[in-house]
Structures are given as structure tokens and as C-alpha cells.
Amino acid sequence: MAASLSGLLKPWTPRVFLVRWSRYNPYYLEPEVRKEAYSQPESELSAEEKEQRELKMIRPIKAAASGVTSSVFSDPVLSKFINMMMEHGNKVLAREIMTQTLENIKKKQVEKYHKAPEGQKEEIECNPYTIFHQALKNCQPVVGLESIRKGGKIYQVPIPLSDKRRSFLAMKWLITECRDNKHRRTHMYEKLSQEVMSAFVHEGNVIRKKNELHKMAESNRAYAHYRWW
Amino acid sequence: MKYLFTINLNLVCHVRTLHTSGWGQQQEAVAVESEPEPFSVFRTQETDPACQSEKHLGQFYTLPSAHFRPLFPHGLPYRYQQQVKTFNEACFMVRPPALEVISYLKKADYSKPALRYLFYGVKGSGKTMSLCHAVHFCYTQGWVVLHIPDAHLWVKNCKELLPSSYNSARFDQPLQATTWLRNFRTTNEHLLSQIKTKRRYVWTKRESTDEGRPLGELVNQGISRVKSSSDVVGALMKDLRLQSSQPGADFRLVVAVDGVNALWGRSTIKKENKSAVDLEELTLIHNLKKLMKNDWTGGAIITTLSQTGSLYTPKSAYLPQELLGETGFDSMDPFIPVSVPNYSEKEFESAYLYYLDRKWLQHPQSRTEDGKKELSFLSSKNPSMLDRICGFL
């Protein structure tokens, strides 16, 4: 619909513009945040990229969201996790919890590293980012269950999940597990770091939940043909 | 192996002084080549603060663990204590303010009244660490160390306030006094048995400490009898002050106070009728103020300003005039102000290499040039901000 109407659309913004919403007029283009894109010389660009650049000189650009940075340390998976942890729009607090979690993981691992004998030092993973990403990967389910109604009865049918859905489920489970099933007097960053460290070695409640989902899907294999998409 | 390593260090030292701009890159290359050697150019082998000089500026020296445990049961910033626990070693950076104060301490005339040094600077610039460096120097020289970790803790959040037995107008703080006495005993264990009391102190009808008893007994008396601990602190300070002033004294006294602006500020402690306690009415503060006057000889007074713990002061205040107030400045005058700035280029590089060496900077991007520039920009070379940012990277 936007394609057919783009001839009619002009660089127009309503008189009262709700800044926090992303309902921009489709005429507006996405901002380019990465620093590398601006340091490429003219000769290296292909024809399409040159066309894009020309277009960007004419068309208006959307304001960049507050969550994206051109910092070399920015990580889209981490930003998504912080957004999911955020409550009532308190991004400052969510980011603080995340940084404290990473610091806590790193502190424990580096302490272990410095106390370990020479031969075992290479086996200890000190990078909190690799630990976090690996733990999320370990928590992702392979198949999910969908309730499909057939002949008046509802069956739990195993279905393939998209990548986005899988990573969303892993992050959601991690957060709800830490919020609900831990001792109430521990700090969130402490709970999160414990859960992430156990997920890294395939232990803990989130991994257990993932495995139970897999077992349910395996037991309901017979109903797989109920899926029509 | 050890001799090979010392020769290499000398060669590398020459490289460092000649090529300061390309120092960073060359540094990385040297560290990679000399992989078997455990140390690099940002570290120095000189663990004795008395022997450190300008050529060690910006380098880290490791505190021997035999010195660390007795010297710093209190007094170090919390984040630094956690860092010591993680890295399994305590490293101080040799910086100009601390080196300056140590050189003055070496050259001062101790038959004249005690000199007062004041470290001041923006939040997180390293004032407490410079104070601890100077205190380490005094400890290695065998001085008696009277280190008050944070004077602000004595004027706020007091759980127990007893009316003083010695002077009914004043108030005692038994808990703070006993913890401080315990830490004082840990620091000065070896000297307490040698110094004797000069006067007779009567605590109650049945308890008294006679003249000529070792100071250790006085301290133990204060720790075991909690009610009279604040008076013990006062007696201890008076005794040490009088004894170090005498020409025949065989020890020197260093009084290290962190957050000295608390002594002339306000307090949030309330009496039972909800009126605020005046600072002169607290025994601990009263005795400490007497120590801060320069009417005694044979020692030095090293202090730090601190806005973070202070009460009723604006966040942007960091200069002595603003934080001490009129009364404080007049009492401390004349003093030697020592400014503690943020890291210079060289010190920043040194701190960055130290974190890399201790495996603290784990993010792959933090090892690139862009990452380093970003760290320098984000922290604006402030030591505590750099520590916080590197914590999660």
C-alpha cells in the first residue's frame, strides 16, 4: 500500500507529532548508524549504493531511536534483552542491571582464572559476552507447541519456530525464571548471572524447561500432520 | 631467567622514554614478543615507595601481601577492594600527587610543627588511593599510622549514641570507636608493645590503666569495654600526640584522615528530643579536631576532601574553600593543597594495559584502537569512571 501511495506522499509530518511512536510517514528513510558506512570512498560503492546515497540527500530521515548507538561496543542481542527486561520505560535501570550482570559474570570467571593452576587457565571462559550469547543459544527451543482445534478437540501440535521466535522465547524464559522462581531478597543481577552461568553449562531451570518442551513435542509427534502451514 | 628478564626491562625502559607517541603500539608488540616474561613496561618492580621516583610515574607496583593485610583493614574504596579480590593482587599506580607528598615527607623537618597535606580533586580522581599510597610509605618507614577511613561515617547513621562518662555535655559513639580501635590494632600491632603510656587513666571505680603500660593494653581495654571505647580513642590520640612531640621519641606519627571536611560540616545524628547534634558534642570528632591542629611535632597530617559522603554540600563542589567552609579553612590554614587530576595520556595507557594484562577487558572490540579511543572519551580519563566502564566490557 505504501508503494502505490508513495507518489502521493510528500515530506509531511503532522502538526502534533508523538515523538515516542514510530509512526512516521513512509516517505522518511531509516538513519544509517554504523560508522563504517560513512568512511567508504566513492569508488568502492556499487550502483545501488550510489543511488541510495543520492536518495538520502533528498529525502528526509527519521530520528534515530534512543536505543541504537554507533559505539563499537553496541550489541543488537543485548539491546533486545535490555528492552525485554525494561519495565515502565525505565531503560536506565534495565541497562544498569544488565551491566552489573555482565560485570558479575566476568568477576567470578576472572577470579577463577587467576586462582587456577597454569594448565587449566585456557579452559576458563572469561568473556561475559560469549558466555551470555552461548547461554541464550543453549536455552533456545528447536520446536514449539501450538494449540490446533480439530474436530472439536484441541491438540498440542509440534511446529517449527522461526529464529526470532526462538531467541524471544529463550530471553523471555530467562527473565521470568529470574523474576519468579528465585529468593526475593537477591538482586536481579545476581539471579541473572547465576542463571546465565548455569545455562552456559546446560544446567538450571531454563534448560530444564526447554527440555520439557522438547519432550512434550516428541510425545505429540503423532499430531504433527495436523499442521497445515 | 630472572637476570635475563631484568636486562630486558632496562632495554624496554629506554624504548619507552624515547618513543612516547608510538608508545602504545610498540608496547603491544613488545608484550607479544616477550610472552614468557610475566611483567610489562606498565609495571615496576620497585615495591618500596621510598625508592620510587619520577621514572616510575604511570607504572603499577604490587603491594606485598605481608603489607596489605595489616595496613588496609579499612581505608580503601569498596570497588578497589573487590578488584584486589578478583585479581588476587593489590597494585597501586605511581602518580604525581602521591609522589610529591612522599618527597615532602622525606625532606620535612620533624622538630617543627606537623605539616598538613590536603588532597583535593573532582569525584573519582584518585584522592583516597593517593592517601593510601602515602600511608604505605609511612608504614614501610616504621611510623605509627592513625588512619581514619572516612570521617563522614562518624557524623551520620549512628545507631548508638551514649552520653559520655568523661564529660556529660558530650556524646559517645561506642560502635564506631570499637571498630576503629580493632583496625588500629591490626595496623600497628608491632609498635603498640613498644610505646608506653605517659599518664594514668581511670575508666571506672575498679578499672584504670597505669603509667608506663604498653599502649596495646590501652587499646585492648577500649575493645573489651565498649562503653568507654570513645574515651580510649581520645586518650590514645592525646598520648601519641604528646609522645611524638618529645625530642627523645623513637617513632613518628602520621594522621591520615579521609573526608576531613566532615569535621567542620553538619551532622544528621539526632538526639532523643529530635534536635540535631552539634559536631563539638561528639567525643570522637572533638578529639580528632584537636589532633588536626598543628601544635604537635614529630609527624605529619595527610588528609583528603570528599564530596561523596558529605552532608548538605552540592555535588559540584570539590575545591577546599567550598567543602571545608569558613571555619574548616581557618582551622586547617596553613596547609599544603595537592591537586589530584584525572589520568594523563600516559597514565590512561598504563591503566588500559594493566586491565588488558589482568584479563579484565574481555570485549573483542575493546582491544582495538577505536575501542580504546571510545573508552578514553566515555570516561574522560577519570579513574573511577574508567573502572566502571571497563567493568562490563
Side-chain angles (χ1 to χ4, degrees), chain B residues 41-115:
Chain B
V41 179
F42 59 90
R43 279 190 201 259
T44 173
Q45 297 299 78
E46 197 56 73
T47 54
D48 187 11
C51 308
Q52 283 161 1
S53 62
E54 274 83 32
K55 61 177 190 193
H56 298 115
L57 278 177
Q59 294 185 322
F60 282 88
Y61 79 95
T62 322
L63 247 84
S65 42
H67 284 189
F68 180 75
R69 306 235 66 201
L71 233 195
F72 296 124
H74 57 187
L76 289 173
Y78 181 63
R79 275 195 77 90
Y80 184 75
Q81 283 173 2
Q82 289 183 316
Q83 185 184 296
V84 167
K85 198 167 143 242
T86 315
F87 294 167
N88 223 11
E89 64 173 12
C91 282
F92 275 59
M93 193 198 269
V94 178
R95 289 187 78 194
L99 217 57
E100 198 183 321
V101 168
I102 290 177
S103 67
Y104 293 159
L105 288 171
K106 283 192 227 174
K107 294 183 199 159
D109 184 1
Y110 290 106
S111 54
K112 302 258 172 55
L115 282 169

Coordinates of all heavy atoms in Angstrom, one line a residue, chain B residues 41-115:
Chain B
V41 N 56.0 -3.1 30.6 CA 56.5 -1.8 31.0 C 55.6 -1.0 31.9 O 56.0 -0.1 32.5 CB 56.8 -1.0 29.7 CG1 57.3 0.3 30.0 CG2 57.8 -1.8 28.8
F42 N 54.3 -1.3 31.9 CA 53.4 -0.6 32.8 C 53.5 -1.0 34.2 O 52.9 -0.5 35.1 CB 51.9 -0.7 32.3 CG 51.5 -2.1 32.3 CD1 50.9 -2.7 33.4 CD2 51.6 -2.9 31.2 CE1 50.4 -4.0 33.5 CE2 51.2 -4.3 31.2 CZ 50.6 -4.8 32.4
R43 N 54.3 -2.0 34.5 CA 54.6 -2.4 35.9 C 56.0 -2.1 36.3 O 56.9 -2.0 35.4 CB 54.4 -4.0 36.0 CG 53.0 -4.4 36.1 CD 53.1 -5.9 36.5 NE 51.8 -6.6 36.1 CZ 50.9 -6.9 37.0 NH1 51.0 -6.5 38.3 NH2 49.8 -7.5 36.6
T44 N 56.2 -1.9 37.6 CA 57.6 -1.7 38.0 C 57.8 -2.7 39.2 O 56.9 -3.1 39.9 CB 57.8 -0.3 38.5 OG1 59.0 -0.2 39.1 CG2 56.7 0.2 39.5
Q45 N 59.1 -3.0 39.3 CA 59.5 -4.0 40.3 C 59.7 -3.3 41.7 O 59.9 -4.0 42.7 CB 60.8 -4.7 40.0 CG 60.7 -5.5 38.7 CD 59.6 -6.6 38.9 OE1 58.4 -6.4 38.9 NE2 60.1 -7.8 39.2
E46 N 59.7 -1.9 41.7 CA 60.0 -1.2 42.9 C 58.9 -1.2 43.8 O 57.9 -0.4 43.7 CB 60.4 0.2 42.5 CG 61.2 1.0 43.5 CD 62.4 0.3 43.9 OE1 63.4 0.3 43.1 OE2 62.4 -0.3 45.0
T47 N 58.8 -2.1 44.8 CA 57.6 -2.2 45.7 C 57.8 -1.2 46.9 O 56.9 -1.1 47.7 CB 57.4 -3.6 46.2 OG1 58.7 -4.0 46.8 CG2 57.0 -4.5 45.1
D48 N 59.0 -0.6 47.1 CA 59.2 0.3 48.2 C 58.9 1.7 47.8 O 59.6 2.2 47.0 CB 60.6 0.1 48.7 CG 60.9 0.8 50.0 OD1 59.9 1.3 50.6 OD2 62.0 0.9 50.4
P49 N 57.9 2.3 48.4 CA 57.5 3.7 48.0 C 58.7 4.7 48.2 O 58.7 5.7 47.5 CB 56.3 4.1 48.9 CG 55.8 2.8 49.4 CD 56.9 1.8 49.4
A50 N 59.6 4.4 49.1 CA 60.7 5.3 49.4 C 61.6 5.4 48.2 O 62.3 6.4 48.0 CB 61.5 4.9 50.6
C51 N 61.7 4.3 47.4 CA 62.7 4.3 46.3 C 62.0 4.6 45.0 O 62.6 4.7 43.9 CB 63.3 2.9 46.1 SG 63.9 2.3 47.7
Q52 N 60.7 5.0 45.0 CA 60.0 5.3 43.7 C 60.3 6.7 43.4 O 60.4 7.6 44.2 CB 58.5 5.1 43.9 CG 58.2 3.6 43.8 CD 56.8 3.4 44.4 OE1 56.1 4.3 44.8 NE2 56.4 2.1 44.3
S53 N 60.5 7.0 42.1 CA 60.9 8.4 41.7 C 60.1 8.7 40.4 O 59.2 7.9 40.0 CB 62.4 8.5 41.4 OG 62.7 7.6 40.4
E54 N 60.5 9.8 39.7 CA 59.7 10.3 38.5 C 59.8 9.2 37.4 O 58.9 9.2 36.6 CB 60.3 11.6 38.0 CG 59.8 12.8 38.6 CD 60.5 13.1 39.9 OE1 61.7 12.8 40.0 OE2 59.8 13.6 40.8
K55 N 60.8 8.4 37.3 CA 60.9 7.5 36.2 C 59.9 6.3 36.4 O 59.6 5.6 35.4 CB 62.3 6.9 36.0 CG 62.8 6.2 37.1 CD 64.2 5.6 36.7 CE 64.6 4.7 37.7 NZ 65.8 4.2 37.9
H56 N 59.3 6.2 37.6 CA 58.2 5.2 37.8 C 56.8 5.8 37.6 O 55.9 5.1 37.9 CB 58.3 4.6 39.2 CG 59.6 3.9 39.4 ND1 60.5 4.4 40.4 CD2 60.2 2.9 38.8 CE1 61.6 3.6 40.4 NE2 61.4 2.7 39.4
L57 N 56.7 7.0 37.2 CA 55.4 7.6 37.1 C 54.5 6.9 36.1 O 55.0 6.6 35.0 CB 55.5 9.1 36.6 CG 55.8 10.1 37.7 CD1 55.9 11.5 37.2 CD2 54.7 10.1 38.8
G58 N 53.3 6.6 36.4 CA 52.4 5.9 35.5 C 52.5 4.4 35.6 O 51.7 3.7 35.0
Q59 N 53.4 3.9 36.3 CA 53.6 2.5 36.4 C 52.9 1.9 37.7 O 52.8 2.6 38.6 CB 55.1 2.1 36.4 CG 55.8 2.4 35.1 CD 57.2 1.9 35.1 OE1 57.9 2.0 36.1 NE2 57.6 1.5 34.0
F60 N 52.5 0.6 37.6 CA 51.9 0.0 38.7 C 52.9 -0.8 39.5 O 53.8 -1.4 39.0 CB 50.8 -1.0 38.2 CG 49.6 -0.4 37.8 CD1 49.4 0.0 36.5 CD2 48.5 -0.2 38.7 CE1 48.2 0.6 36.1 CE2 47.3 0.3 38.3 CZ 47.2 0.8 37.0
Y61 N 52.8 -0.7 40.9 CA 53.7 -1.5 41.7 C 52.8 -2.4 42.6 O 51.7 -1.9 43.0 CB 54.7 -0.7 42.5 CG 54.1 0.0 43.7 CD1 54.2 -0.7 45.0 CD2 53.5 1.2 43.7 CE1 53.7 -0.1 46.1 CE2 53.0 1.8 44.8 CZ 53.1 1.2 46.0 OH 52.6 1.8 47.2
T62 N 53.2 -3.6 42.8 CA 52.4 -4.5 43.6 C 52.7 -4.4 45.0 O 53.9 -4.4 45.4 CB 52.7 -6.0 43.1 OG1 52.8 -6.0 41.7 CG2 51.5 -6.9 43.5
L63 N 51.7 -4.3 45.9 CA 51.9 -4.3 47.3 C 52.2 -5.7 47.8 O 51.4 -6.6 47.5 CB 50.6 -3.8 48.0 CG 50.7 -2.5 48.7 CD1 50.4 -1.4 47.7 CD2 49.7 -2.4 49.8
P64 N 53.3 -5.9 48.6 CA 53.5 -7.3 49.1 C 52.3 -7.7 50.0 O 51.8 -6.8 50.7 CB 54.8 -7.1 49.9 CG 55.3 -5.7 49.7 CD 54.2 -4.9 49.0
S65 N 51.9 -8.9 49.9 CA 50.7 -9.3 50.6 C 51.0 -9.3 52.1 O 50.0 -9.1 52.9 CB 50.3 -10.8 50.3 OG 51.4 -11.6 50.1
A66 N 52.2 -9.3 52.6 CA 52.5 -9.2 54.0 C 52.2 -7.8 54.5 O 51.8 -7.6 55.7 CB 54.0 -9.5 54.3
H67 N 52.3 -6.8 53.6 CA 51.9 -5.4 54.0 C 50.5 -5.1 53.8 O 49.9 -4.3 54.5 CB 52.7 -4.4 53.1 CG 54.1 -4.3 53.4 ND1 55.0 -3.3 52.9 CD2 54.9 -5.0 54.3 CE1 56.2 -3.4 53.4 NE2 56.2 -4.4 54.2
F68 N 49.8 -5.8 52.8 CA 48.5 -5.4 52.5 C 47.5 -5.7 53.6 O 46.7 -4.9 54.0 CB 48.0 -6.1 51.2 CG 46.7 -5.8 50.8 CD1 46.4 -4.5 50.2 CD2 45.6 -6.7 51.0 CE1 45.1 -4.2 49.8 CE2 44.3 -6.3 50.6 CZ 44.1 -5.1 50.0
R69 N 47.6 -6.9 54.2 CA 46.6 -7.3 55.2 C 46.6 -6.4 56.4 O 45.5 -6.0 56.9 CB 46.7 -8.8 55.6 CG 46.7 -9.7 54.3 CD 45.7 -10.8 54.4 NE 44.3 -10.3 54.4 CZ 43.3 -11.0 54.8 NH1 43.5 -12.2 55.3 NH2 42.1 -10.5 54.7
P70 N 47.8 -6.2 57.0 CA 47.7 -5.3 58.2 C 47.5 -3.9 57.9 O 46.7 -3.2 58.7 CB 49.1 -5.5 58.9 CG 50.0 -6.1 57.8 CD 49.1 -6.8 56.9
L71 N 48.0 -3.4 56.8 CA 47.9 -1.9 56.5 C 46.5 -1.5 56.2 O 46.0 -0.4 56.6 CB 48.7 -1.6 55.3 CG 49.7 -0.4 55.4 CD1 50.2 0.0 54.1 CD2 49.2 0.7 56.2
F72 N 45.7 -2.2 55.4 CA 44.4 -1.8 54.9 C 43.3 -2.7 55.4 O 42.6 -3.2 54.5 CB 44.5 -1.6 53.4 CG 45.4 -0.6 52.9 CD1 46.4 -1.0 52.0 CD2 45.4 0.7 53.3 CE1 47.3 0.0 51.5 CE2 46.3 1.6 52.9 CZ 47.3 1.3 52.0
P73 N 43.0 -2.8 56.7 CA 41.8 -3.4 57.1 C 40.6 -2.5 56.8 O 39.5 -2.9 56.7 CB 41.9 -3.7 58.6 CG 42.9 -2.6 59.0 CD 43.8 -2.4 57.8
H74 N 40.9 -1.2 56.7 CA 39.9 -0.2 56.3 C 40.6 0.8 55.5 O 41.8 0.8 55.4 CB 39.2 0.4 57.5 CG 40.3 1.1 58.5 ND1 39.9 1.5 59.7 CD2 41.6 1.3 58.4 CE1 41.0 2.0 60.3 NE2 42.0 1.9 59.5
G75 N 39.9 1.7 54.8 CA 40.6 2.8 54.2 C 40.6 2.8 52.7 O 40.9 3.8 52.0
L76 N 40.4 1.6 52.1 CA 40.5 1.5 50.6 C 39.0 1.7 50.1 O 38.1 1.2 50.7 CB 41.1 0.2 50.1 CG 42.5 0.0 50.3 CD1 42.9 -1.4 50.0 CD2 43.3 1.0 49.4
P77 N 38.8 2.2 48.9 CA 37.5 2.3 48.3 C 36.9 0.9 48.0 O 37.7 0.0 47.8 CB 37.7 3.0 47.0 CG 39.1 3.6 47.0 CD 39.9 2.9 48.0
Y78 N 35.6 0.8 48.1 CA 35.0 -0.6 48.0 C 35.3 -1.3 46.7 O 35.6 -2.4 46.7 CB 33.5 -0.4 48.3 CG 32.7 -1.7 48.2 CD1 33.0 -2.7 49.2 CD2 31.8 -2.0 47.3 CE1 32.3 -3.9 49.2 CE2 31.1 -3.2 47.3 CZ 31.4 -4.1 48.2 OH 30.7 -5.3 48.2
R79 N 35.2 -0.5 45.6 CA 35.4 -1.1 44.3 C 36.8 -1.6 44.2 O 37.1 -2.6 43.5 CB 35.1 -0.1 43.2 CG 33.6 -0.1 42.9 CD 33.4 0.7 41.6 NE 33.7 -0.1 40.4 CZ 32.8 -0.9 39.8 NH1 31.6 -1.0 40.2 NH2 33.2 -1.7 38.8
Y80 N 37.8 -0.9 44.8 CA 39.1 -1.3 44.7 C 39.4 -2.6 45.5 O 40.1 -3.5 45.1 CB 40.1 -0.2 45.2 CG 41.5 -0.6 45.1 CD1 42.2 -0.6 43.9 CD2 42.3 -1.0 46.2 CE1 43.5 -0.9 43.7 CE2 43.6 -1.3 46.1 CZ 44.2 -1.3 44.8 OH 45.5 -1.7 44.7
Q81 N 38.7 -2.7 46.6 CA 38.8 -3.9 47.4 C 38.3 -5.1 46.7 O 38.9 -6.2 46.7 CB 38.0 -3.8 48.7 CG 38.6 -3.0 49.8 CD 37.7 -2.8 51.0 OE1 36.6 -3.3 51.0 NE2 38.1 -2.0 51.9
Q82 N 37.2 -4.9 45.9 CA 36.7 -6.0 45.1 C 37.6 -6.4 44.0 O 37.8 -7.5 43.7 CB 35.3 -5.6 44.5 CG 34.2 -5.6 45.4 CD 32.9 -5.2 44.7 OE1 32.9 -4.4 43.9 NE2 31.9 -5.9 45.1
Q83 N 38.3 -5.3 43.4 CA 39.3 -5.6 42.4 C 40.4 -6.4 42.9 O 40.9 -7.3 42.2 CB 39.8 -4.2 41.8 CG 40.7 -4.4 40.7 CD 41.2 -3.0 40.2 OE1 40.5 -2.1 39.8 NE2 42.5 -2.9 40.3
V84 N 40.9 -6.1 44.1 CA 42.0 -6.8 44.7 C 41.6 -8.3 44.9 O 42.4 -9.2 44.6 CB 42.4 -6.2 46.1 CG1 43.3 -7.1 46.9 CG2 43.0 -4.9 45.9
K85 N 40.4 -8.5 45.3 CA 39.9 -9.9 45.5 C 39.9 -10.6 44.1 O 40.2 -11.8 44.1 CB 38.5 -9.9 46.1 CG 38.1 -11.2 46.7 CD 36.9 -11.0 47.6 CE 36.0 -12.2 47.5 NZ 34.7 -12.1 46.9
T86 N 39.4 -9.9 43.1 CA 39.3 -10.6 41.8 C 40.7 -10.9 41.2 O 40.9 -12.0 40.7 CB 38.5 -9.7 40.8 OG1 37.4 -9.2 41.5 CG2 38.1 -10.5 39.6
F87 N 41.6 -9.9 41.2 CA 42.8 -10.1 40.5 C 43.9 -10.8 41.4 O 44.9 -11.1 40.9 CB 43.5 -8.7 40.2 CG 42.7 -7.9 39.1 CD1 43.0 -6.6 38.9 CD2 41.7 -8.5 38.4 CE1 42.3 -5.9 38.0 CE2 41.0 -7.8 37.5 CZ 41.3 -6.5 37.2
N88 N 43.5 -11.1 42.7 CA 44.4 -11.8 43.5 C 45.7 -11.0 43.8 O 46.7 -11.6 44.2 CB 44.8 -13.1 42.9 CG 44.7 -14.2 44.0 OD1 44.3 -14.0 45.1 ND2 45.2 -15.4 43.6
E89 N 45.7 -9.7 43.6 CA 46.9 -8.9 43.9 C 46.4 -7.4 44.1 O 45.4 -7.0 43.6 CB 47.9 -8.9 42.7 CG 47.4 -8.3 41.5 CD 48.4 -8.2 40.4 OE1 49.5 -8.8 40.5 OE2 48.1 -7.5 39.4
A90 N 47.2 -6.7 44.9 CA 46.9 -5.3 45.1 C 48.0 -4.4 44.4 O 49.1 -4.4 44.8 CB 46.9 -5.0 46.6
C91 N 47.6 -3.6 43.4 CA 48.5 -2.8 42.6 C 48.1 -1.4 42.7 O 47.0 -1.0 42.5 CB 48.5 -3.2 41.1 SG 49.4 -4.7 40.8
F92 N 49.1 -0.5 43.1 CA 48.9 0.9 43.1 C 49.6 1.6 41.9 O 50.7 1.1 41.5 CB 49.5 1.5 44.4 CG 48.6 1.4 45.6 CD1 48.2 0.2 46.1 CD2 48.3 2.6 46.3 CE1 47.4 0.2 47.2 CE2 47.5 2.5 47.4 CZ 47.0 1.3 47.9
M93 N 49.0 2.6 41.4 CA 49.7 3.4 40.3 C 50.5 4.5 40.9 O 50.0 5.2 41.8 CB 48.7 3.9 39.3 CG 49.4 4.4 38.0 SD 48.4 5.5 37.1 CE 47.6 4.4 36.0
V94 N 51.7 4.7 40.5 CA 52.6 5.7 41.0 C 52.1 7.0 40.3 O 52.3 7.1 39.0 CB 54.1 5.5 40.7 CG1 54.9 6.6 41.2 CG2 54.5 4.2 41.4
R95 N 51.5 8.0 41.0 CA 51.0 9.2 40.4 C 51.7 10.4 41.0 O 52.1 10.3 42.1 CB 49.5 9.2 40.5 CG 48.8 8.2 39.7 CD 47.3 8.4 39.8 NE 46.9 9.5 38.9 CZ 45.7 10.1 39.0 NH1 44.8 9.7 39.9 NH2 45.4 11.1 38.2
P96 N 51.8 11.5 40.2 CA 52.5 12.7 40.7 C 52.0 13.2 42.1 O 52.9 13.6 42.9 CB 52.2 13.8 39.7 CG 51.8 13.0 38.5 CD 51.3 11.7 38.9
P97 N 50.7 13.3 42.4 CA 50.3 13.9 43.7 C 50.9 13.1 44.9 O 51.5 13.7 45.8 CB 48.8 13.8 43.8 CG 48.4 13.5 42.5 CD 49.5 12.9 41.7
A98 N 50.8 11.7 44.9 CA 51.3 10.9 45.9 C 52.8 11.0 46.0 O 53.4 11.1 47.1 CB 50.9 9.5 45.8
L99 N 53.5 11.0 44.9 CA 54.9 11.1 44.8 C 55.4 12.4 45.4 O 56.4 12.5 46.2 CB 55.4 11.0 43.4 CG 56.7 10.2 43.1 CD1 56.6 8.8 43.7 CD2 57.0 10.2 41.7
E100 N 54.7 13.5 45.1 CA 55.0 14.8 45.7 C 55.0 14.8 47.2 O 55.9 15.2 47.9 CB 54.0 15.8 45.1 CG 54.4 17.3 45.2 CD 53.3 18.2 44.7 OE1 52.7 17.8 43.7 OE2 53.1 19.2 45.3
V101 N 53.9 14.3 47.7 CA 53.7 14.3 49.2 C 54.8 13.4 49.8 O 55.3 13.7 50.9 CB 52.3 13.8 49.6 CG1 52.1 13.5 51.0 CG2 51.2 14.8 49.2
I102 N 55.1 12.3 49.2 CA 56.1 11.4 49.8 C 57.5 12.1 49.8 O 58.2 11.9 50.7 CB 56.2 10.0 49.0 CG1 54.9 9.2 49.3 CG2 57.4 9.2 49.3 CD1 54.8 8.0 48.5
S103 N 57.7 12.8 48.7 CA 59.0 13.6 48.7 C 59.1 14.6 49.8 O 60.1 14.8 50.5 CB 59.3 14.2 47.3 OG 58.4 15.2 47.1
Y104 N 57.9 15.3 50.1 CA 57.9 16.3 51.2 C 58.1 15.6 52.5 O 58.8 16.1 53.4 CB 56.6 17.0 51.2 CG 56.3 17.9 50.0 CD1 55.0 18.3 49.7 CD2 57.3 18.4 49.2 CE1 54.7 19.1 48.6 CE2 57.1 19.2 48.1 CZ 55.8 19.5 47.8 OH 55.5 20.3 46.8
L105 N 57.5 14.4 52.6 CA 57.6 13.6 53.9 C 59.0 13.3 54.2 O 59.5 13.2 55.3 CB 56.7 12.4 53.9 CG 55.2 12.6 54.0 CD1 54.5 11.2 53.7 CD2 54.8 13.1 55.4
K106 N 59.8 12.9 53.1 CA 61.2 12.5 53.2 C 62.0 13.7 53.7 O 62.9 13.5 54.5 CB 61.7 12.0 51.9 CG 61.3 10.6 51.5 CD 62.1 10.1 50.4 CE 61.2 9.5 49.3 NZ 61.8 9.1 48.1
K107 N 61.7 14.9 53.2 CA 62.6 16.0 53.4 C 62.2 16.9 54.6 O 62.9 17.8 55.0 CB 62.6 16.9 52.2 CG 63.2 16.3 51.0 CD 63.3 17.3 49.8 CE 63.4 16.6 48.5 NZ 63.0 17.4 47.4
A108 N 61.0 16.6 55.2 CA 60.5 17.5 56.2 C 61.3 17.5 57.5 O 62.0 16.5 57.8 CB 59.0 17.2 56.5
D109 N 61.3 18.6 58.2 CA 62.0 18.7 59.5 C 61.0 18.4 60.6 O 60.0 19.1 60.8 CB 62.5 20.2 59.7 CG 63.3 20.3 60.9 OD1 63.5 19.3 61.6 OD2 63.8 21.5 61.2
Y110 N 61.2 17.3 61.3 CA 60.2 16.8 62.2 C 60.4 17.4 63.6 O 59.7 17.0 64.5 CB 60.2 15.3 62.3 CG 59.6 14.7 61.0 CD1 60.4 14.1 60.0 CD2 58.3 14.9 60.7 CE1 59.9 13.7 58.8 CE2 57.8 14.5 59.5 CZ 58.6 13.9 58.5 OH 58.1 13.5 57.3
S111 N 61.3 18.4 63.8 CA 61.3 19.1 65.1 C 60.4 20.3 65.0 O 60.1 21.0 66.0 CB 62.7 19.5 65.4 OG 63.2 20.2 64.3
K112 N 59.9 20.6 63.8 CA 58.9 21.7 63.6 C 57.5 21.2 63.7 O 57.3 20.0 63.6 CB 59.2 22.4 62.3 CG 60.6 22.9 62.0 CD 60.6 24.4 62.2 CE 62.0 24.9 62.2 NZ 62.8 24.6 61.0
P113 N 56.5 22.1 63.9 CA 55.1 21.6 63.9 C 54.7 20.8 62.7 O 55.2 21.0 61.6 CB 54.3 22.8 64.0 CG 55.2 23.9 64.6 CD 56.6 23.5 64.1
A114 N 53.8 19.9 62.9 CA 53.4 18.9 61.9 C 52.8 19.6 60.7 O 52.0 20.6 60.8 CB 52.3 17.9 62.4
L115 N 53.2 19.2 59.5 CA 52.7 19.8 58.2 C 51.4 19.1 57.9 O 51.2 17.9 58.1 CB 53.7 19.6 57.1 CG 54.9 20.5 57.1 CD1 55.9 20.0 56.1 CD2 54.5 21.9 56.7

